[in-house]
Amino acid sequence: MYGLGSFDTPSSINFSHANHYFLLSEQVTQSGFLINNLLKSILSKQHDLFVISEDLDIVIESIQKPDIDTFKLLEQHKRLHFFETAKTNKENFSLKYFQQLFKELKVYPQFKHANCVIHLSGAVLNATDETELENIINYFNRQAVNWQLNLIILITGASNRALTERLFTYSKTISGLLNISRYSGSQLLNLSFWHQVSGLIYNQKFKLYFDENLFKLSSYVAPSESESTEFDNQQLDENEVWVVETAVDSFEQIPENYRRVKNNEQLYEVAKQLSSATVVFTINKDQSVIDLAKICYTLRKTQGAWLKIVLQNIEGMVRHKDESIFYLAGVNLILYDFNQASRFISRIQSIQGFKFTRELPEKFSFISDKIESSKSFGYRSIHQFCEEVIRSSENADSLSVSAALVRLTLLPSARPVHALKMIHLKRNGDFFSNYQDEIVLYLSACRANDVQTALEHLFYLDIDDFFLAKSITTSHLDVQRFCRQLLANSELKHEADLSKYLSHKLVMDNVYDAFEIELMNSPNVKIPDEPFLSPLKFKAVE
């Protein structure tokens, strides 16, 4: 029997042999911690781990990320076996597919009593008709019993809700059904049912989060179900509104219950005495986003869910990333411009009487650490670019911040260094690089519909003058998959690193000879220490 660790839970969650379990999540990365915890359990047991997936690189990285030392130790003892399969679709996904798969796995003597993880697409499995699905589930059950397997079927995709309802009807055959979702820096585990020696766990929710290098699991109670949903004694300060004076143009038409204070610091002190009132902070170019977010997070933690926290955005300082950070830190509403007094009052009234229901991260460091890690920007070699983008994309995904990967195919007559020289990039978290005949850019905190505008600001000239085609990817999972595929290419490290060339200023009006132009584009030519390019000198013709 394998547990998910020493967690403080009413009922422990255990895996055991001769059983098969279905784990469902939108992304592979959300389930990696479970499989990694399983690795720790098998350290002391003579059982191996078999992993079968269509996206093996992502699965391996997700498994080893929480604790790479355990992963490497098992790998050294040759107790890990990984297999990548061809892409499945509606046509080739059938019982015969799994019969052939198990036929090949049975060749390995370590397969008996092993832990086996099979990663499947939720969309493809959900498209299977009921008869075929029942046959597949029964086949999994027979293989788990016959070979004494701890069989885990990992299913990822956006269609998992419908699939959960279908799988629930097989509760007498399936050993356990668990849905994994992300919730403000933690993982929400929704157990539909779970059979184990101690009994049946049915319809329970747990919250799993990573703290001090340990996984911690606690019972989860939805905000709407908690005791704090009761509006005790109608909360006497519900109608009070405290506003920083710079948040409103004039207080002449503001009701008497709107009270003003001088600045955010004073408002914070007042808010610590309130329970359900509305407080309106201001954010401008002189105010640190991280400091104000921490104030909001602290108030939400200490004063509870009935306090209404509003931000008045002055001078257009709140960007998409900042917006996501503030909402994650417990803010109810962000006002983006100065409105008439009546409009301002209407916006405040629209949130009064309502409770904050979003889940907060366990600690503010979950937010601050990810902000600090995204303060670099600029050109990177393609290998460094991929590593940086994977880290940045994972952080952005956990903060619910959008991002975009842009691939620009150069015209045959254009050289990479010329195109790179035109990029004017200075936002934190943005990176660019060159790969073969493409320029690749990663735009952090950029919505899909803002990509074209961002490109127009990044380049000095029209991009159509240099590029033949453009490809935009906005899904974090697809961005990370693209980078991991490049990193798996052994030739990647041999790609040209043009960072040294980009450190020199290019004067477009001068004329250069052929050697100097080649020097700009060939990383194999040693750059001299003297000034980088000199204009050609022409002899006067007499």
Side-chain angles (χ1 to χ4, degrees):
M1 184 177 293
Y2 303 97
L4 298 185
S6 300
F7 300 132
D8 182 19
T9 59
S11 303
S12 59
I13 306 171
N14 296 311
F15 295 98
S16 59
H17 287 278
N19 287 284
H20 71 290
Y21 307 89
F22 278 78
L23 308 185
L24 292 83
S25 65
E26 285 192 9
Q27 298 180 8
V28 178
T29 52
Q30 295 172 354
S31 54
F33 65 91
L34 284 174
I35 313 301
N36 182 273
N37 217 269
L38 185 63
L39 295 183
K40 296 178 182 178
S41 299
I42 67 175
L43 272 174
S44 59
K45 299 178 174 66
Q46 297 302 314
H47 299 144
D48 288 20
L49 174 67
F50 287 73
V51 177
I52 301 94
S53 173
E54 299 175 3
D55 297 308
L56 192 59
D57 291 340
I58 297 178
V59 174
I60 291 175
E61 180 155 339
S62 301
I63 293 174
Q64 68 180 9
K65 187 176 180 181
D67 185 0
I68 194 169
D69 293 334
T70 300
F71 182 89
K72 288 183 176 179
L73 182 61
L74 290 169
E75 197 172 36
Q76 288 175 359
H77 289 81
K78 298 181 179 180
R79 295 174 63 186
L80 303 181
H81 311 273
F82 298 104
F83 304 88
E84 187 163 20
T85 61
K87 294 288 183 182
T88 55
N89 51 49
K90 297 178 183 178
E91 286 70 30
N92 62 16
F93 192 85
S94 63
L95 177 60
K96 291 182 179 179
Y97 172 84
F98 293 104
Q99 289 174 335
Q100 180 62 35
L101 178 64
F102 275 88
K103 182 179 179 181
E104 296 181 17
L105 292 174
K106 293 171 186 176
V107 174
Y108 294 83
Q110 306 94 328
F111 187 63
K112 189 164 183 143
H113 298 287
N115 303 279
C116 183
V117 178
I118 301 178
H119 174 216
L120 303 175
S121 165
V124 177
L125 188 61
N126 197 37
T128 307
D129 64 66
E130 206 61 43
T131 302
E132 191 72 8
L133 179 62
E134 183 177 2
N135 290 336
I136 291 172
I137 291 174
N138 288 331
Y139 182 75
F140 285 154
N141 186 49
R142 290 196 301 272
Q143 298 307 307
V145 173
N146 293 341
W147 292 86
Q148 291 296 295
L149 300 174
N150 174 22
L151 180 58
I152 299 172
I153 311 302
L154 174 61
I155 304 172
T156 58
S159 59
N160 282 346
R161 178 169 296 186
L163 187 56
T164 301
E165 295 176 0
R166 295 181 66 186
L167 293 174
F168 189 83
T169 61
Y170 299 97
S171 58
K172 293 183 178 180
T173 308
I174 299 173
S175 306
L177 179 60
L178 170 65
N179 254 290
I180 308 167
S181 58
R182 192 185 64 209
Y183 218 67
S184 297
S186 59
Q187 305 287 350
L188 187 61
L189 310 184
N190 187 353
L191 272 74
S192 298
F193 58 86
W194 201 268
H195 297 277
Q196 51 190 34
V197 177
S198 59
L200 173 67
I201 302 177
Y202 174 77
N203 194 25
Q204 290 194 30
K205 294 182 180 180
F206 301 98
K207 186 167 64 174
L208 181 69
Y209 55 95
F210 195 67
D211 184 31
E212 297 176 353
N213 296 321
L214 293 172
F215 285 113
K216 297 184 178 180
L217 190 66
S218 60
S219 296
Y220 174 79
V221 179
S224 59
E225 301 170 1
S226 62
E227 295 180 0
S228 59
T229 55
E230 299 179 4
F231 201 37
D232 298 332
N233 300 323
Q234 296 300 311
Q235 301 289 347
L236 298 179
D237 59 2
E238 165 68 19
N239 294 322
E240 292 184 18
V241 181
W242 293 79
V243 186
V244 173
E245 58 185 9
T246 55
V248 184
D249 278 340
S250 172
F251 274 81
E252 293 180 0
Q253 299 178 350
I254 298 298
E256 293 182 357
N257 62 315
Y258 281 62
R259 308 176 186 183
R260 57 179 168 179
V261 295
K262 187 175 182 180
N263 51 42
N264 288 341
E265 288 72 22
Q266 288 187 9
L267 182 57
Y268 175 55
E269 294 302 321
V270 171
K272 289 192 289 186
Q273 311 302 320
L274 304 174
S275 58
S276 62
T278 303
V279 291
V280 183
F281 292 92
T282 59
I283 174 74
N284 55 38
K285 62 182 181 181
D286 298 322
Q287 174 70 56
S288 166
V289 170
I290 191 68
D291 290 344
L292 184 55
K294 187 173 184 179
I295 287 175
C296 298
Y297 177 86
T298 304
L299 287 176
R300 180 63 65 208
K301 275 287 190 180
T302 57
Q303 305 309 113
W306 286 106
L307 182 70
K308 270 66 74 178
I309 304 175
V310 180
L311 296 185
Q312 172 66 70
N313 180 22
I314 299 176
E315 301 170 349
M317 290 305 298
V318 176
R319 304 296 176 88
H320 166 51
K321 181 178 180 179
D322 304 329
E323 176 186 274
S324 300
I325 290 169
F326 283 128
Y327 283 133
L328 192 60
V331 171
N332 294 79
L333 177 67
I334 300 177
L335 304 176
Y336 291 93
D337 51 21
F338 281 101
N339 296 300
Q340 296 178 352
S342 59
R343 177 63 174 163
F344 177 82
I345 295 170
S346 297
R347 297 294 299 278
I348 297 300
Q349 289 176 339
S350 69
I351 63 171
Q352 289 181 317
F354 292 94
K355 178 186 175 183
F356 183 86
T357 57
R358 292 190 301 275
E359 187 79 6
L360 286 179
E362 290 296 322
K363 291 187 177 181
F364 184 72
S365 59
F366 170 79
I367 301 174
S368 59
D369 290 348
K370 295 184 185 303
I371 295 174
E372 290 299 322
S373 65
S374 62
K375 288 191 174 181
S376 57
F377 66 93
Y379 177 83
R380 298 289 188 275
S381 68
I382 188 62
H383 191 275
Q384 294 172 331
F385 173 87
C386 291
E387 292 178 337
E388 291 269 16
V389 167
I390 290 172
R391 284 194 294 268
S392 180
S393 177
E394 288 176 344
N395 288 339
D397 193 19
S398 62
L399 293 174
S400 299
V401 177
S402 303
L405 179 76
V406 183
R407 299 167 60 187
L408 302 170
T409 305
L410 287 161
L411 289 168
S413 59
R415 305 254 183 144
V417 72
H418 296 157
L420 294 172
K421 277 285 187 178
M422 293 190 304
I423 298 177
H424 182 63
L425 187 151
K426 55 183 179 181
R427 277 199 329 158
N428 287 342
D430 289 354
F431 303 100
F432 65 106
S433 185
N434 57 288
Y435 176 65
Q436 295 180 349
D437 62 343
E438 291 185 344
I439 301 298
V440 287
L441 302 100
Y442 176 75
L443 306 177
S444 65
C446 183
R447 295 184 178 94
N449 57 341
D450 293 329
V451 172
Q452 185 58 39
T453 304
L455 290 176
E456 292 172 0
H457 285 88
L458 283 178
F459 287 89
Y460 289 113
L461 301 178
D462 191 336
I463 62 173
D464 292 335
D465 294 339
F466 271 81
F467 301 105
L468 187 67
K470 175 178 63 179
S471 171
I472 300 173
T473 304
T474 55
S475 164
H476 285 293
L477 183 61
D478 291 337
V479 169
Q480 294 167 30
R481 179 183 288 113
F482 169 77
C483 292
R484 288 190 176 97
Q485 288 174 349
L486 285 187
L487 289 174
N489 186 353
S490 59
E491 299 296 322
L492 192 70
K493 293 184 178 180
H494 302 299
E495 280 292 318
D497 181 356
L498 302 179
S499 56
K500 193 166 186 179
Y501 300 95
L502 298 178
S503 64
H504 299 277
K505 185 175 178 59
L506 175 62
V507 181
M508 300 298 293
D509 294 332
N510 288 334
V511 182
Y512 305 97
D513 63 21
F515 171 77
E516 290 166 332
I517 293 296
E518 183 63 26
L519 181 63
M520 293 172 59
N521 293 280
S522 174
N524 299 319
V525 179
K526 183 179 180 181
I527 299 179
D529 294 332
E530 57 265 18
F532 182 51
L533 290 174
S534 301
L536 285 175
K537 296 180 181 179
F538 294 94
K539 293 182 179 180
V541 179
E542 297 181 359

